[in-house]
DNA sequence: AACCATCACAACCGCCCCATA
DNA sequence: ATATGGGGCGGTTGTGATGGT
């Protein structure tokens, strides 16, 4: 019986007819009672699937197929530094964008950065980056492991360069197993405790260009107001304490267009 | 033209919280 | 008090498009 029910559930890409049914349902009952869509036999989709389709694709005023503007990029980067990976919350500041959009944007940027850093270091030996996203959870957050180590190493090598690295992390002091799960995109392997050294050349000016401005105390830009009022206290902050909400920072002081700059540098001979 | 790498996006999964029976 | 189902959210995966070699 259960198995039969499960087999009835349709997955994969949505057809126009299904969209139409879903839109009609929302017109009639509003964006709720998702599970009733299946129980009424309107669609063979789960309530979750219906809700996701509506929120991410069918909802009015979505900026579908429209790339993030420079302003939106700045907003995401700054809000991520403030809220951490609270994509739904961040999305409330971006009219027409969904949490999925923001998440995808961030993820692709992070992968891009990982690739850039990977290429900038000696790919053959010292890098601890895995180009493939890490499937397991056995990773440490970038800032507490990698950049922390970079900081230490940099301090050791040069007393004058430590100011450039704003990544001293509360996480290093407050070790939180759950927090360690986060930021898996760069695929740093826990069992691989090699420090992330950008090759051997810490004096490479390119290295510091990547990390952004030396003075990290200044905000990069003013925050926009949320498009619609975000819930005063998010329903929950899974895995995140109030402290590390602020510490869940990777691109803290990265200029919004740094990827372009970095890309330019890596492209030019 | 063929191949490969990368990007962008859609969709699913698993976990969690909350309301309700 | 607790079991359960619905819904929200973050993480992950799969795939088509695109650009470079």
């Amino acid at each position: 019986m259960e198995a039969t029910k499960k087999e009835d559930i349709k997955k994969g890409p949505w057809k126009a007819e299904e969209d139409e049914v879903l839109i009609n349902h929302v017109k009639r009952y509003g964006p709720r009672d998702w599970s009733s869509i299946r129980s009424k036999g309107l669609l063979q989709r789960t309530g979750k699937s219906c809700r996701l389709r509506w929120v991410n694709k069918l909802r009015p005023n979505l900026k579908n197929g429209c790339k993030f503007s420079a302003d939106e990029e700045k907003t995401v980067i700054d809000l991520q530094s403030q809220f951490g990976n609270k994509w739904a919350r961040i999305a409330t500041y971006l009219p027409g964008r969904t949490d999925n959009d923001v998440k995808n944007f961030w993820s692709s940027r992070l992968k891009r950065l990982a690739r850039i850093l990977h290429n900038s270091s000696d790919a053959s030996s010292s890098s601890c980056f895995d180009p493939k996203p890490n499937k397991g959870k056995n990773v440490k957050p970038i800032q507490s492991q990698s950049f922390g180590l970079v900081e230490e190493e940099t301090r050791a090598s040069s007393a004058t360069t430590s100011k450039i690295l704003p990544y001293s992390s509360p996480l290093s002091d407050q070790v939180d197993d759950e927090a360690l799960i986060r930021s898996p995109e760069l695929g740093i392997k826990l069992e691989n405790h090699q420090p992330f050294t950008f090759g051997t050349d810490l004096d490479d000016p390119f290295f510091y260009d990547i990390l952004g401005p030396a003075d990290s105390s200044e905000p990069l830009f003013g925050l926009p107001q949320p498009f619609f009022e975000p819930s005063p206290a998010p329903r929950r902050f899974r895995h995140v304490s109030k402290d590390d909400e602020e510490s869940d920072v990777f691109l803290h002081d990265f200029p919004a267009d740094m990827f372009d700059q970095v890309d330019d540098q890596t492209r030019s001979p």
Side-chain angles (χ1 to χ4, degrees), chain A residues 10-75:
Chain A
K10 185 159 182 273
K11 291 182 183 179
W14 281 66
K15 293 200 176 95
E17 307 91 80
E18 292 178 299
D19 283 346
E20 204 175 328
V21 172
L22 185 52
I23 289 167
N24 286 336
H25 174 87
V26 172
K27 272 183 188 167
R28 207 161 166 184
Y29 304 103
R32 63 180 76 88
D33 295 333
W34 302 114
S35 54
S36 73
I37 295 173
R38 191 158 82 93
S39 60
K40 286 175 184 167
L42 298 173
L43 289 173
Q44 291 177 315
R45 300 275 185 173
T46 64
K48 281 188 175 194
S49 182
C50 292
R51 180 190 154 271
L52 214 61
R53 181 66 181 172
W54 172 258
V55 167
N56 289 331
K57 287 301 291 181
L58 302 178
R59 211 173 49 174
N61 304 321
L62 288 178
K63 290 183 183 173
N64 277 333
C66 175
K67 286 186 115 180
F68 273 62
S69 69
D71 276 351
E72 286 176 318
E73 292 190 20
K74 284 178 184 174
T75 303

Side-chain angles (χ1 to χ4, degrees), chain A residues 144-158 162 165 172 202:
Chain A
S144 66
Q145 187 193 29
S146 307
F147 287 107
L149 288 165
V150 169
E151 183 176 18
E152 274 183 33
E153 193 162 335
T154 309
R155 281 194 178 130
S157 69
S158 163
S162 59
L165 298 160
S172 344
L202 284 170

Side-chain angles (χ1 to χ4, degrees), chain A residues 74-75 78-79 82-83 93 219 221-226:
Chain A
K74 284 178 184 174
T75 303
D78 200 55
L79 289 173
Q82 222 182 30
F83 301 142
Y93 290 79
F221 23 70
L223 274 180
Q225 294 303 306

Side-chain angles (χ1 to χ4, degrees), chain A residues 73-216:
Chain A
E73 292 190 20
K74 284 178 184 174
T75 303
V76 171
I77 291 169
D78 200 55
L79 289 173
Q80 201 279 344
S81 77
Q82 222 182 30
F83 301 142
N85 295 358
K86 304 299 163 192
W87 309 122
R89 194 171 181 188
I90 292 170
T92 63
Y93 290 79
L94 298 163
R97 299 296 186 189
T98 69
D99 56 348
N100 216 28
D101 291 336
V102 177
K103 195 165 49 182
N104 283 332
F105 164 76
W106 187 259
S107 173
S108 64
R109 281 300 169 115
L110 214 52
K111 279 176 192 163
R112 195 167 149 197
L113 177 65
R115 181 177 49 82
I116 289 163
L117 296 181
H118 183 259
N119 290 342
S120 75
S121 66
D122 185 355
S124 64
S125 57
S126 63
S127 169
C128 58
F129 282 109
D130 180 347
K132 290 278 178 201
N134 210 321
K135 234 185 152 180
K137 305 275 188 182
N138 225 7
V139 294
K140 279 194 173 185
I142 293 147
Q143 65 177 114
S144 66
Q145 187 193 29
S146 307
F147 287 107
L149 288 165
V150 169
E151 183 176 18
E152 274 183 33
E153 193 162 335
T154 309
R155 281 194 178 130
S157 69
S158 163
T160 60
T161 53
S162 59
K163 63 170 183 156
I164 299 170
L165 298 160
Y167 298 100
S168 67
S169 164
L171 284 179
S172 344
D173 302 320
Q174 176 198 338
V175 179
D176 167 9
D177 284 347
E178 293 291 353
L180 295 180
I181 289 170
R182 279 173 285 137
S183 301
E185 286 298 334
L186 294 183
I188 299 169
K189 293 171 184 166
L190 192 60
E191 69 275 12
N192 183 356
H193 283 283
Q194 294 170 302
F196 178 35
T197 63
F198 290 89
T200 54
D201 193 3
L202 284 170
D203 293 321
D204 184 354
F206 170 61
F207 168 83
Y208 299 110
D209 284 348
I210 292 173
L211 290 178
D215 181 1
S216 64

